[in-house]
């Protein structure tokens, strides 16, 4: 598998490119609108055809490149059914598997940061968006966030993956690029080392985070896939 991790510094967002060496089909996870020219350059340089852009959720901190990529190179947008982005081409639910060349992508519904959050499991890697971060997790005080639900998503879904599964988050603010399930189970300051649901909820309640910088423009834009658009989602249920 061809694999790249891209970093957008303004919002500290990671975007992932996964490509099949044989069919040259590719996907991008969590694109950023300002980086679309760069993604297209990279796809061309690697001789890859973009089939899907996958969102781990409707972002509040940056605008997705999904709509622009769809218009320019014909990729299809994928998002969870509960994410509130009916403009996507495919609306997926827990357990759905997408096949792109020899890449198998399994959808894991991991709500808590938002109610439409998904993680994507590809072989020994899991792309966790703003659910599980490296030594942290996404905030739960906006967009139907719920700390208890996030605790259940992480402990019952992500922490039950094999220990050596590589964790690729949606963001990192300290320069970390990858972790493992084993490392997060042991060391995650918010819910590692068998912290209880109550302890986790208490930690999240006390974070006192500032209002997200770009939420007022990013949310409505992302609910229309990065651009004003029409309804089009076809639902695939798992
Ligand atoms: Fe987010």
């Amino acid at each position: 598998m061809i694999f790249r991790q891209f970093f957008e510094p303004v919002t500290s967002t990671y975007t992932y490119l996964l490509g099949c060496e044989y069919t040259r089909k590719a996907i991008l996870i969590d694109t950023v609108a300002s980086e679309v020219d760069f993604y297209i350059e990279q796809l061309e340089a690697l001789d890859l055809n973009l089939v899907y852009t996958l969102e781990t959720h409707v972002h509040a901190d940056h605008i997705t490149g999904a709509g622009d990529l769809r218009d320019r190179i014909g990729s299809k947008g994928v998002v969870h059914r509960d994410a509130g982005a009916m403009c996507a081409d495919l609306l997926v639910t827990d357990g759905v598997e997408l096949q792109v060349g020899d890449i198998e992508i399994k959808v894991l519904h991991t709500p808590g940061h938002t109610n439409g959050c998904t993680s994507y499991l590809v072989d020994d890697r899991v792309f966790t968006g703003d659910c599980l971060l490296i030594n942290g997790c996404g905030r739960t005080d906006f967009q139907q966030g719920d700390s208890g639900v996030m605790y259940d998503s992480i402990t019952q879904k992500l922490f039950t993956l094999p220990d050596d599964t590589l964790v690729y988050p949606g963001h990192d603010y300290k320069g970390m690029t990858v972790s493992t399930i084993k490392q997060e189970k042991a060391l995650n300051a918010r819910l590692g080392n068998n912290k209880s649901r109550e302890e986790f909820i208490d930690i999240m309640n006390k974070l006192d985070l500032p209002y997200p910088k770009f939420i007022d423009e990013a949310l409505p834009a992302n609910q229309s896939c990065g651009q004003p658009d029409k309804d089009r989602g076809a639902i695939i249920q798992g």
Side-chain angles (χ1 to χ4, degrees):
M1 184 172 75
I2 296 158
F3 179 70
R4 297 287 187 278
Q5 181 178 31
F6 303 132
F7 184 66
E8 191 285 309
V10 176
T11 57
S12 300
T13 298
Y14 283 127
T15 300
Y16 300 95
L17 169 66
L18 285 69
C20 168
E21 296 163 52
Y22 309 106
T23 61
R24 313 312 295 180
K25 291 179 179 174
I27 62 167
L28 281 166
I29 300 174
D30 284 341
T31 60
V32 181
S34 60
E35 308 299 292
V36 166
D37 287 344
F38 170 75
Y39 304 141
I40 292 174
E41 271 171 33
Q42 294 295 308
L43 289 159
E44 284 175 358
L46 292 164
D47 187 27
L48 291 171
N49 302 309
L50 187 66
V51 177
Y52 294 126
T53 54
L54 277 58
E55 307 292 339
T56 56
H57 62 294
V58 168
H59 310 278
D61 60 344
H62 67 266
I63 296 175
T64 175
D68 198 9
L69 284 160
R70 174 166 65 200
D71 285 353
R72 290 172 63 179
I73 56 175
S75 51
K76 293 192 185 312
V78 179
V79 70
H80 192 273
R81 184 187 57 186
D82 298 342
M86 299 306 281
C87 50
D89 300 285
L90 290 182
L91 301 174
V92 293
T93 57
D94 188 60
V96 163
E97 293 187 20
L98 300 171
Q99 179 96 32
V100 176
D102 66 353
I103 305 170
E104 285 172 15
I105 306 137
K106 184 165 184 186
V107 176
L108 304 177
H109 186 212
T110 48
H113 172 63
T114 73
N115 55 1
C117 277
T118 60
S119 297
Y120 296 104
L121 180 66
V122 180
D123 196 16
D124 63 345
R125 297 157 208 233
V126 65
F127 300 89
T128 53
D130 289 7
C131 185
L132 179 62
L133 303 179
I134 299 174
N135 194 18
C137 64
R139 61 195 294 172
T140 54
D141 55 339
F142 280 96
Q143 294 180 271
Q144 303 93 35
D146 185 311
S147 303
V149 169
M150 174 172 275
Y151 182 89
D152 296 340
S153 290
I154 294 175
T155 57
Q156 292 171 22
K157 283 215 171 131
L158 298 174
F159 281 1
T160 59
L161 295 171
D163 272 352
D164 56 358
T165 306
L166 296 166
V167 174
Y168 285 101
H171 300 279
D172 194 87
Y173 305 95
K174 293 181 178 167
M176 300 294 286
T177 55
V178 63
S179 177
T180 63
I181 291 296
K182 183 176 185 178
Q183 186 177 328
E184 295 311 314
K185 274 202 288 200
L187 299 177
N188 191 297
R190 293 190 185 162
L191 76 179
N193 199 18
N194 295 313
K195 278 214 172 50
S196 71
R197 199 172 192 268
E198 290 64 37
E199 285 175 281
F200 176 71
I201 292 170
D202 191 49
I203 289 170
M204 296 306 286
N205 283 344
K206 289 179 177 152
L207 287 179
D208 195 23
L209 296 165
Y211 190 72
K213 253 190 282 181
F214 302 113
I215 190 169
D216 293 327
E217 52 184 306
L219 264 193
N222 288 331
Q223 281 162 340
S224 57
C225 297
Q227 50 185 197
D229 214 87
K230 340 97 205 164
D231 261 10
R232 65 167 89 204
I235 297 178
I236 299 188
Q237 287 184 296

